[in-house]
């Protein structure tokens, strides 16, 4: 009613507009404590990500580093200050940082540093999560060790990061300090030439990907039959003791084309694939997510590389069940055909339109991959300009010292 009064329209018109926005994923709706709430996709995903991070932090508390009272007293004495109880608690939190943000230019060893930490964790039998760079899948953007609740991430452009609370929830590690400057005049000229060129190509490539995401043909679906099918699949799954929801990307558009990590899910014994020529996968997977949440099941959501606000796979780790969008093309999956659930019959000429849209989307993605490939080549050239100035032995010593700090002997 408040919206109707502000917009000066009828309630019927407002309801139709809201339903259309939800159907076209411009709004997200969710029932919480018996009430229906509407969110913009950005706010919805941001709140979910915050909640997921809090759940992870609760599940994997950071290792406690012993703080000797004598050290605190010595610091107070030498600085002529006195901490109150809250400040002492903050000091204890500050030495248990959850995320370290790596800085440093191209070729300064950020990816190698993270790989070394991840490899050592794996050697010790720990689970490790690697975040691949979408522009260059051979490089890392991050590594996370759940058992330690510690993460190391690349904080340089284009994914510049800052700790939420510097010194408490995170800190910086500047690997650029191992790069000896100043550079020669020839290197400076090359760096000034290459840097804006590769950044421009990356920007153009991602613009083409965004345009490709808008090339689609969608229809309305009545998913009531799917609800019954899901009930048959999920009714045998017991609720998890500590259900969580995480979001990942199993696929990305990169300089090598579409990169998929779906083969890492070979352990799922029951796989279902939604097939549709009208874009029904996203609403069907959102229904799976809601139903799994209602039943108290742990959920891992893979987001679409073309539409990051949409789900393209739902995995239920404890149950060993996974649901995929039809674009994955998993050969051994059981197919659930959604076109039979369309609320209207396909219009004349729809098949030809769908083929034309798919062709246009494919051409835009080809252009994007070509731009990203050229950007990658320039970035490799840029790294070569920095590499002669890197003190790699000192970086190796620092990496080994950091590994000893994290894992001990």
């Amino acid at each position: 009613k408040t919206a109707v009064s502000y917009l000066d329209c009828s309630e019927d018109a407002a309801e139709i507009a809201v339903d259309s926005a939800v159907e076209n994923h411009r709004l997200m709706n969710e029932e919480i404590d018996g009430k229906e709430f509407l969110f913009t996709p950005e706010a919805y995903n941001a709140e979910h990500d915050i909640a997921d991070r809090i759940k992870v932090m609760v599940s994997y508390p950071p290792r406690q580093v012993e703080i000797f009272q004598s050290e605190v007293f010595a610091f107070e004495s030498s600085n002529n200050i006195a901490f109150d109880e809250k400040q002492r608690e903050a000091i204890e939190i500050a030495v248990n940082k959850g995320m370290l943000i790596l800085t440093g230019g191209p070729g300064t060893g950020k990816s190698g540093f993270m790989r070394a930490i991840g490899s050592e964790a794996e050697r010790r039998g720990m689970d490790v999560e690697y975040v691949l760079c979408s522009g260059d899948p051979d490089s890392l953007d991050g590594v996370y060790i759940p058992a330690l609740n510690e993460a190391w991430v690349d904080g340089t452009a284009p994914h510049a990061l800052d700790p939420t609370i510097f010194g408490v929830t995170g800190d910086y590690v500047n690997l650029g300090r191992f790069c000896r400057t100043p550079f020669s005049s020839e290197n400076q000229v090359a760096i000034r030439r290459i840097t804006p060129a590769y950044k421009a190509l990356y920007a153009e490539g991602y613009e083409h990907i965004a345009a490709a995401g808008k090339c689609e043909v969608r229809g309305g679906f009545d998913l009531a039959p799917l609800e019954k099918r899901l009930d048959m699949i999920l009714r045998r799954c017991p609720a998890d003791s500590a259900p969580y929801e995480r979001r990942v990307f199993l696929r990305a558009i990169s300089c090598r084309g579409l990169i998929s990590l779906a083969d890492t899910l070979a352990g799922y014994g029951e796989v279902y694939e939604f097939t549709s020529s009208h874009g029904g996968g996203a609403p069907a997977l959102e229904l799976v997510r809601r139903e799994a949440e209602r039943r108290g099941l742990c959920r891992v959501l893979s987001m679409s590389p073309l539409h990051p606000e949409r789900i393209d796979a739902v995995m239920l780790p404890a149950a060993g069940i996974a649901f995929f969008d039809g674009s994955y093309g998993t050969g051994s999956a059981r197919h659930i055909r959604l076109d039979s659930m369309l609320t209207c019959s396909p219009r004349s000429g729809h098949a030809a339109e769908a083929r034309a849209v798919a062709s246009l989307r494919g051409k835009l993605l080809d252009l994007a991959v070509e731009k990203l490939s050229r950007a990658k080549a320039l970035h490799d050239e840029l790294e070569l300009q920095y590499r002669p100035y890197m003190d790699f032995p000192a970086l190796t010593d620092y990496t080994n010292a950091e590994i000893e700090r994290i894992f001990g002997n």
Side-chain angles (χ1 to χ4, degrees):
K1 292 182 178 180
T2 302
V4 167
S5 64
Y6 277 119
L7 297 174
D8 191 24
C9 65
S10 67
E11 289 191 23
D12 288 343
E15 288 180 1
I16 291 172
V18 168
D19 289 343
S20 175
V22 170
E23 181 178 332
N24 291 293
H25 304 285
R26 295 194 299 273
L27 287 176
M28 308 286 287
N29 67 323
E30 182 166 330
E31 187 175 299
I32 303 174
D33 294 332
K35 295 182 179 180
E36 185 176 14
F37 291 83
L38 294 171
F39 306 83
T40 63
E42 295 81 8
Y44 182 86
N45 290 330
E47 291 193 20
H48 265 277
D49 289 343
I50 292 169
D52 289 344
R53 178 61 181 161
I54 292 173
K55 289 177 182 177
V56 170
M57 293 172 71
V58 171
S59 300
Y60 301 103
R63 295 175 303 141
Q64 297 302 307
V65 178
E66 187 174 0
I67 300 295
F68 294 100
Q69 290 297 325
S70 60
E71 295 178 6
V72 177
F73 289 141
F75 183 87
E76 289 176 313
S77 176
S78 62
N79 290 274
N80 195 28
I81 58 175
F83 296 121
D84 60 26
E85 183 179 351
K86 291 293 184 183
Q87 288 173 318
R88 290 178 185 276
E89 290 178 7
I91 292 170
E92 292 189 18
I93 294 173
V95 296
N96 292 282
K97 304 174 181 66
M99 181 169 68
L100 293 174
I101 297 172
L102 306 182
T103 61
T108 55
K110 297 184 294 295
S111 187
F113 177 81
M114 289 186 282
R115 285 191 190 280
I117 292 173
S119 296
E120 179 63 20
E122 287 189 65
R123 188 182 72 81
R124 293 170 179 261
M126 296 179 178
D127 289 334
V128 180
E129 298 181 12
Y130 295 97
V131 181
L132 304 186
C133 173
S134 61
D136 176 13
D138 292 330
S139 296
L140 288 180
D141 275 349
V143 61
Y144 175 55
I145 305 174
L148 303 180
N149 191 37
E150 288 204 57
W152 293 259
V153 297
D154 184 344
T156 59
H159 32 62
L161 291 172
D162 288 299
T164 305
I165 306 175
F166 169 67
V168 177
T169 61
D171 202 349
Y172 297 97
V173 176
N174 177 24
L175 299 186
R177 60 181 154 160
F178 300 107
C179 188
R180 300 182 296 270
T181 56
F183 304 124
S184 70
S185 57
E186 291 82 4
N187 283 99
Q188 292 185 42
V189 169
I191 290 170
R192 290 179 184 276
R193 171 182 61 83
I194 298 170
T195 299
Y198 94 81
K199 288 184 177 181
L201 284 169
Y202 271 128
E204 291 174 17
Y206 291 124
E207 286 174 1
H208 289 318
I209 291 174
K214 296 178 180 179
C215 297
E216 57 182 346
V217 177
R218 294 211 304 266
F221 292 84
D222 176 8
L223 297 178
L226 179 58
E227 292 180 3
K228 296 178 181 179
R229 181 78 180 273
L230 288 177
D231 179 63
M232 295 175 62
I233 296 171
L234 301 179
R235 65 172 58 173
R236 64 183 185 275
C237 302
D240 294 308
S241 57
Y244 61 80
E245 182 173 286
R246 297 185 54 236
R247 294 177 181 233
V248 300
F249 285 91
L250 288 180
R251 301 189 295 175
I253 310 298
S254 76
C255 60
R256 299 206 301 263
L258 179 65
I259 299 295
S260 175
L261 303 179
D263 57 347
T264 63
L265 303 172
Y268 286 83
E270 201 170 327
V271 178
Y272 296 88
E273 185 173 291
F274 295 120
T275 58
S276 169
S277 58
H278 297 72
L285 288 163
E286 174 59 28
L287 176 61
V288 173
R289 186 202 69 77
R290 291 200 304 266
E291 186 62 22
E293 181 181 34
R294 186 180 71 81
R295 295 170 183 265
L297 303 177
C298 294
R299 310 165 300 283
V300 178
L301 313 180
S302 173
M303 312 310 289
S304 165
L306 285 181
H307 307 96
E309 75 282 0
R310 298 184 196 171
I311 305 168
D312 70 7
V314 177
M315 292 142 284
L316 310 177
I321 302 174
F323 300 84
F324 291 87
D325 181 272
S327 59
Y328 274 86
T330 51
S332 60
R334 309 176 193 186
H335 294 272
I336 299 178
R337 306 190 185 281
L338 299 176
D339 283 352
S340 61
M341 304 176 197
L342 279 167
T343 55
C344 59
S345 301
R347 60 186 178 279
S348 175
H350 168 81
E353 178 186 357
R355 287 194 297 271
V357 169
S359 175
L360 177 58
R361 181 171 59 247
K363 290 177 181 178
L364 285 168
L365 289 177
D366 287 343
L367 281 173
V369 171
E370 187 266 337
K371 298 283 187 183
L372 295 178
S373 178
R374 289 168 55 194
K376 166 67 166 58
L378 282 177
H379 193 271
D380 289 346
E381 186 179 343
L382 186 63
E383 288 188 345
L384 292 176
Q385 301 299 321
Y386 286 92
R387 200 157 290 163
Y389 297 89
M390 279 297 297
D391 186 352
F392 284 109
L395 174 58
T396 298
D397 290 342
Y398 174 78
T399 302
N400 292 335
E402 183 69 359
I403 288 174
E404 185 174 350
R405 177 195 72 80
I406 299 165
F407 304 103
N409 294 326

